[in-house]
């Protein structure tokens, strides 16, 4: 398992020339031949909602003004056995938020440019990304070495994705 995964909306990655870079990764899955149309970035609220919908838990390394993040991203219920029992632990979660700097609290309506997961369970990240893709459009997932690139599209079959998922 990679120690760090990053998720970003595919349309934002390709706007910066990322499609060519992603195609050159050691392994890739779901990359389109043509860049997708530009779309809206998901909001902090949508990301948190996707975490809750997927049944994931983790440690938020961000604050949301006037909102208890642990309602949507609770701590691990059983750290001792979570990984061995297939728990959905996202690990330490960071949000790249458009217009936010450092560790200042963000707002639910702010746009999220990327999501970082440090020491996550692979199945947890897949569950969260599938849930978020249904709201935010195609999402690109890359590991910390840039060796594996994976795109999840809205409507993708999670069971099929799991057979290809490198993490």
């Amino acid at each position: 398992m990679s120690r760090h995964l990053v998720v970003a909306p595919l349309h934002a990655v390709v706007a910066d020339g990322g499609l060519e870079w992603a195609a050159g990764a050691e392994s890739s899955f779901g990359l389109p031949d043509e860049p997708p149309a530009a779309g809206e970035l998901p909001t902090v609220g949508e990301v948190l909602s996707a975490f809750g919908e997927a049944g994931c838990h983790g440690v938020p390394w961000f604050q949301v003004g006037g909102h208890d993040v642990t309602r949507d991203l609770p701590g691990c219920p059983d750290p001792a056995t979570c990984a061995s029992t297939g728990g959905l632990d996202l690990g330490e979660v960071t949000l790249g938020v458009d217009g936010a700097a450092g560790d200042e609290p963000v707002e639910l309506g702010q746009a999220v440019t990327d999501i970082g997961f440090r020491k996550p369970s692979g199945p947890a990240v897949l569950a969260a990304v599938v849930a978020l893709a249904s709201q935010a459009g195609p999402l690109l997932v890359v590991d910390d070495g840039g060796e594996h690139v994976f795109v999840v599209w809205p409507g993708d079959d999670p069971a099929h994705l799991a057979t290809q998922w490198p993490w």
Side-chain angles (χ1 to χ4, degrees), residues 23-108:
E26 183 178 309
S27 73
S28 63
F29 178 87
L31 287 175
D33 292 330
E34 296 294 323
E40 297 290 319
L41 293 172
T43 65
V44 172
E46 289 170 331
V47 170
L48 290 173
S49 174
F51 292 163
E53 179 184 324
C56 294
H57 55 269
V59 179
W61 280 31
F62 59 92
Q63 297 175 22
V64 178
H67 183 77
D68 179 7
V69 176
T70 61
R71 283 191 340 214
D72 304 296
L73 185 62
C76 184
D78 189 5
T81 63
C82 185
S84 65
T85 60
L88 295 177
D89 188 8
L90 293 172
E92 299 164 351
V93 181
T94 58
L95 298 180
V97 177
D98 203 19
D103 59 353
E104 70 183 55
V106 297
E107 300 299 322
L108 288 171

